[in-house]
Structures are given as C-alpha cells and as structure tokens.
Amino acid sequence: DAGVTQSPTHLIKTRGQQVTLRCSPKSGHDTVSWYQQALGQGPQFIFQYYEEEERQRGNFPDRFSGHQFPNYSSELNVNALLLGDSALYLCASSLAVTRVWGETQYFGPGTRLLVL
Amino acid sequence: GDSVTQMEGPVTLSEEAFLTINCTYTATGYPSLFWYVQYPGEGLQLLLKATKADDKGSNKGFEATYRKETTSFHLEKGSVQVSDSAVYFCALSGGTSYGKLTFGQGTILTVHP
C-alpha cells in the first residue's frame, strides 16, 4: 500500500519565478492538506482540499494556490517566488469521514524548495 | 486561535535514560492531540494520538496522556535509544477548525550511546 508521495524531492528556483509541487495521497484517502516548514520550525498549514475544492486556508497570501484532481491527487502552485518561500513543503492526506473523531493526517517526504 | 507550546530544546540524553518532552495547548472545544516525529531529511511520521480527555496514546515505548485539566499532552519514554534521535512535534486538530493541524515548534532530541 503506497503511502503519500510527492514530487519533485528538491527544487531550485530564482526570485519571481513560479513553481508547481505535486502530491499523491495514500490509497483510499480523499483529502489533501499542504504545509510549509521553514528551517528549524514546525509546519504551518497552507490549505486543504476535499472534493476538488479548497475547504480551509491558513494565513498565506494568494500567491499560494492549489488544485485537487478527480483522482484526489493535488498540486501546490506558488507564484512570484520570494526568498522567504524557501522551505520544506509537506503534503498530508486523510479521510474526510474520520474528521469528526480526530482524523489522522499522513505525511509525504516533502519537497525542499530553495529560492535564490 | 489554537496554539501549541513545546518545551524548548535541544534535549540531549544518554541511552536508556528517561525522556519527557512537555507540550501544552490552547484550544476551544475538544481537540485531538498528536505527536509526530521527523527523522533527518524526512517527512513527519505519526507517533501517537489521543482524541479525548484522559486517553493515553502509545507506540514504540512512547506514551502521552491527554490531560484536559492542565491542557497538556507530555511525551514520555522510559528508556531511550540512539535510534530515537529526531525532532518531535506536538500538534492538535479540531478546536476552532477541523482538519487543520496546528504544530508546536518542535524539540530536537539527541541520544548518545
């Protein structure tokens, strides 16, 4: 049973460029959440997708956008990259029906983005 | 809003020592509480969870009890191993927003032989 997968593993971009990160959820999961983890910090919630719609959003500017596909996979897009966007981007998947009693989110290995 | 506070690290222990990492939270309602572990260069792995007051989560010798009266979820292990060296994150979900995990800042644990 494949877990959460993310691509690419590493990425180097320059300021002002745009980037797309991809995530495939754990088999059977229908919800994908994205987190940004700066060096030495805990992950910060970016947004969550369920039924191909953004359901919740954290305190991130609209340069950060996403998409969920019918097969539940997801993309995170970041426009007009800033140096401060350098971080590990984590994708997590879960099952929406379990939300009422404390869903468990399963994390992928992350994509490490460096903005120069 | 919801928040999680972990004891400041790093924590350095000798093998077979007792481990405690403190975690307290602020949330409305009845959140679920989690401990995640992150090994160098990897993503987060769920270590244990508890979904209601007085529940004890346990896994791989680690334990944590959901204490609503003290809003705490401290992580303990009776005898640590070198392989336990990692970063440990306390987190909550629920409270004011379902589905979103709110993390503490993480505690670096180093275990020496």
Side-chain angles (χ1 to χ4, degrees):
Chain A
D1 179 23
V4 179
T5 60
Q6 293 186 242
S7 63
T9 55
H10 294 82
L11 207 49
I12 300 175
K13 293 286 188 178
T14 56
R15 281 180 297 175
Q17 285 190 311
Q18 179 264 344
V19 68
T20 297
L21 310 182
R22 296 177 175 82
C23 172
S24 291
K26 184 178 168 66
S27 179
H29 284 184
D30 55 13
T31 301
V32 173
S33 303
W34 288 91
Y35 294 82
Q36 180 194 66
Q37 185 180 18
L39 198 62
Q41 303 294 317
Q44 299 291 314
F45 175 76
I46 302 174
F47 43 52
Q48 182 180 79
Y49 277 83
Y50 169 62
E51 291 185 333
E52 302 179 48
E53 290 189 15
E54 183 182 294
R55 300 292 177 170
Q56 285 195 77
R57 189 178 184 91
N59 189 25
F60 279 81
D62 56 13
R63 296 188 298 111
F64 290 76
S65 63
H67 188 77
Q68 185 180 35
F69 299 94
N71 67 353
Y72 308 118
S73 67
S74 176
E75 289 182 349
L76 164 66
N77 301 292
V78 187
N79 294 322
L81 284 167
L82 304 174
L83 297 180
D85 295 332
S86 296
L88 179 67
Y89 288 85
L90 295 164
C91 168
S93 75
S94 56
L95 194 55
V97 72
T98 64
R99 192 159 301 143
V100 293
W101 60 81
E103 68 186 300
T104 296
Q105 296 192 12
Y106 294 86
F107 284 80
T111 293
R112 189 163 297 281
L113 172 65
L114 177 61
V115 182
L116 301 176
Chain B
D2 301 337
S3 67
V4 175
T5 302
Q6 289 182 233
M7 67 182 290
E8 295 192 10
V11 175
T12 302
L13 296 173
S14 297
E15 205 165 26
E16 299 184 4
F18 184 84
L19 168 70
T20 299
I21 301 177
N22 291 338
C23 171
T24 58
Y25 68 90
T26 301
T28 56
Y30 302 93
S32 295
L33 301 174
F34 305 82
W35 277 100
Y36 281 86
V37 59
Q38 187 173 37
Y39 297 100
E42 298 185 10
L44 275 68
Q45 297 177 24
L46 177 68
L47 184 58
L48 52 84
K49 65 182 279 190
T51 58
K52 61 183 188 295
D54 300 325
D55 266 3
K56 177 185 283 189
S58 61
N59 185 27
K60 299 180 182 179
F62 291 90
E63 294 183 339
T65 300
Y66 187 159
R67 300 289 188 198
K68 190 161 179 64
E69 64 276 14
T70 55
T71 61
S72 64
F73 193 55
H74 304 322
L75 182 68
E76 296 182 338
K77 187 176 186 182
S79 176
V80 294
Q81 305 300 311
V82 172
S83 57
D84 293 327
S85 298
V87 183
Y88 292 81
F89 292 96
C90 184
L92 68 83
S93 73
T96 56
S97 56
Y98 281 104
K100 164 190 167 183
L101 278 168
T102 299
F103 287 88
Q105 69 270 35
T107 300
I108 300 172
L109 171 65
T110 303
V111 181
H112 293 297

